[in-house]
Amino acid sequence: MRRISNLRWWIVGLICLGTIANYLARNSLGVLAPELKSTLSMSTQQYSYVVGAFQLAYTIGQPIAGAIVDRIGLRAGFAMFGIAWSLANMLHALAAGWLGLALFRGLLGLAESAAVPSGIKAIAEWFPARQRSVAVGWFNAGTSLGALIAPPVVVAVSLWADWRMAFVVTGAVGLLWAAAWYAFYRSPAMHPAITPDEAALIAADRPAAVAPSSARQIVKSGRFWALAVPRFLAEPAWQTFSFWIPLYLATERGMDLKQIALFAWLPFLAADLGGVFGGYLSPLLMNRFNLSLIPSRVTGVAIGAALMIAPGFIGLAGSPYLAIALFSIGGFAHQMISVLINTLSADVFTPQEIGTANGFIGQAGWTGGLLFSLLIGQLADVTGYAPLFAALSLFDVIGAVVLIACLPILSRPKESR
């Protein structure tokens, strides 16, 4: 195979494509929520249970999927999960009621739970520490790109055919990506297209091989809780944006499906920009203000938390367009936070244990998202969405405070954390 300069950035592009396929499938439900509620006679509470089935399965699945990928390797593991989430999404077309939809949604959650641990593991393997946040920023952009293209793609297919075909089409995209991943991915030590200079650059930054910590040791460590608590507090915002924006625009802002398709993608475009900006922010802070690696990540999280105050005022917005603008600021801010917390997990855990560790950290985040989605299902029709959006802002501020307080733990050598 011909040698490729800067092959690691092509690897990031491949991961990003997988994340786009993952989030295109995931966000199809949110786009179709107004139609599915009518067609399948679902209440808002029942819809929250469908969302909750995905979140519960994803929450349970992340550390398991991360451990499987650590055990069998990225090439086979990520491809296997890609095939599984694609088939699970296509099965949504068979749903005849909310219970069937919840069952298929749970299968999708189990399969998709491998995406972030696998992506972070690949970046830990392929990138030196100073470049990881930039790489995570571009990889993480796939989450927003998938969510961004979901409204126009899903609506176009549903208008052309029906909502069942929309699930089939968005699932099929993942099958194509899984084939490409298995064909082209290898570890740096095994990839035939890597140049000697790049192989040396990656090898020079890798720590000496050590026995990975067990799952129990990871969960008991201070470095785990320093990241798990902020992730628990931050994740409800992203899951609210992903699963509830279309329904909010339909029920409280009076938008129809075509209007949602025209505007619901904007917060995810802003999220893309925020994820990429968050990746570059850490090196910028290191170079301009002489911050060291870990404090530069934490400072970026604090800046993102300050920006997350904006979506707390969505309930006061006088028009749906102002509400979408505030959602967009929230999407930008949240992805800054997400990129930097995920990068921190690659900074403080070894490559041999990062899949498992990131899976447990993701599990903490998705526990928060699940609980908050169930809360929305119980309260949205009673109190409206305004106080719920305000709570999201407060969560991120508290998470940033916790992370700042834990900075000494994260900055200590790995063996003493």
Side-chain angles (χ1 to χ4, degrees):
M1 183 179 291
R2 183 175 63 88
R3 304 281 181 169
I4 300 174
S5 298
N6 296 312
L7 180 61
R8 63 191 184 280
W9 295 106
W10 291 93
I11 296 294
V12 168
L14 188 57
I15 299 168
C16 183
L17 289 175
T19 312
I20 290 171
N22 184 285
Y23 268 73
L24 177 60
R26 181 180 311 187
N27 282 57
S28 297
L29 177 72
V31 176
L32 292 168
E35 181 176 351
L36 291 173
K37 282 190 66 183
S38 174
T39 303
L40 301 181
S41 301
M42 281 193 297
S43 67
T44 301
Q45 187 176 43
Q46 288 170 336
Y47 175 72
S48 76
Y49 296 153
V50 174
V51 172
F54 176 91
Q55 293 171 305
L56 179 60
Y58 195 103
T59 301
I60 293 170
Q62 281 186 90
I64 298 171
I68 290 172
V69 172
D70 277 343
R71 178 64 62 87
I72 70 175
L74 268 170
R75 185 189 180 205
F78 208 177
M80 178 185 72
F81 280 106
I83 293 169
W85 85 56
S86 301
L87 296 177
N89 196 69
M90 297 168 80
L91 285 173
H92 284 52
L94 302 178
W98 76 268
L99 282 173
L101 197 61
L103 171 63
F104 299 136
R105 204 68 187 164
L107 294 176
L108 181 68
L110 285 173
E112 287 202 341
S113 66
V116 174
S118 297
I120 296 298
K121 181 177 177 66
I123 286 169
E125 287 188 353
W126 274 88
F127 281 83
R130 290 181 67 89
Q131 295 181 347
R132 281 181 194 147
S133 67
V134 178
V136 173
W138 284 107
F139 142 56
N140 205 63
T143 66
S144 306
L145 279 171
L148 184 156
I149 65 176
V153 169
V154 172
V155 170
V157 175
S158 64
L159 292 176
W160 165 67
D162 57 19
W163 64 268
R164 298 181 190 276
M165 184 56 66
F167 283 118
V168 172
V169 170
T170 54
V173 172
L175 294 176
L176 297 175
W177 173 83
W181 176 264
Y182 190 79
F184 295 113
Y185 184 80
R186 303 289 189 281
S187 67
M190 301 293 294
H191 208 295
I194 194 170
T195 64
D197 287 346
E198 186 170 24
L201 173 69
I202 295 169
D205 189 74
R206 288 179 68 83
V210 295
S213 301
S214 67
R216 176 174 293 185
Q217 290 171 321
I218 288 171
V219 172
K220 288 174 64 177
S221 67
R223 55 190 166 139
F224 167 77
W225 289 104
L227 300 180
V229 172
R231 183 73 186 273
F232 173 85
L233 293 167
E235 192 64 29
W238 185 241
Q239 294 190 36
T240 299
F241 294 171
S242 296
F243 298 125
W244 292 92
I245 283 180
L247 196 58
Y248 166 77
L249 294 176
T251 57
E252 295 219 354
R253 298 294 179 171
M255 287 187 167
D256 60 26
L257 196 60
K258 291 182 179 178
Q259 290 174 312
I260 290 171
L262 286 173
F263 294 103
W265 57 273
L266 289 170
F268 301 106
L269 174 61
D272 265 337
L273 299 175
V276 174
F277 176 77
Y280 283 100
L281 180 60
S282 176
L284 176 66
L285 293 172
M286 293 169 68
N287 295 331
R288 184 65 62 89
F289 299 100
N290 203 30
L291 293 179
S292 57
L293 186 73
I294 302 299
S296 73
R297 317 286 205 220
V298 175
T299 301
V301 171
I303 294 171
L307 291 174
M308 270 300 298
I309 294 172
F313 294 98
I314 287 172
L316 302 178
S319 74
Y321 308 107
L322 179 57
I324 290 170
L326 293 174
F327 274 128
S328 297
I329 296 173
F332 182 94
H334 173 80
Q335 288 300 78
M336 283 180 59
I337 295 169
S338 177
V339 161
L340 292 167
I341 291 179
N342 274 322
T343 305
L344 278 167
S345 69
D347 293 331
V348 303
F349 291 98
T350 66
Q352 294 81 14
E353 64 192 8
I354 183 58
T356 303
N358 188 267
F360 276 115
I361 293 166
Q363 184 178 67
W366 276 75
T367 300
L370 168 63
L371 294 176
F372 197 76
S373 279
L374 293 175
L375 185 66
I376 292 175
Q378 296 295 323
L379 297 181
D381 289 342
V382 179
T383 66
Y385 288 83
L388 299 167
F389 291 144
L392 295 176
S393 298
L394 181 62
F395 293 164
D396 277 302
V397 172
I398 295 173
V401 171
V402 170
L403 194 58
I404 292 169
C406 292
L407 186 57
I409 296 174
L410 296 173
S411 299
R412 289 201 298 267
K414 286 182 178 141
E415 61 271 11
S416 62
R417 290 182 187 130

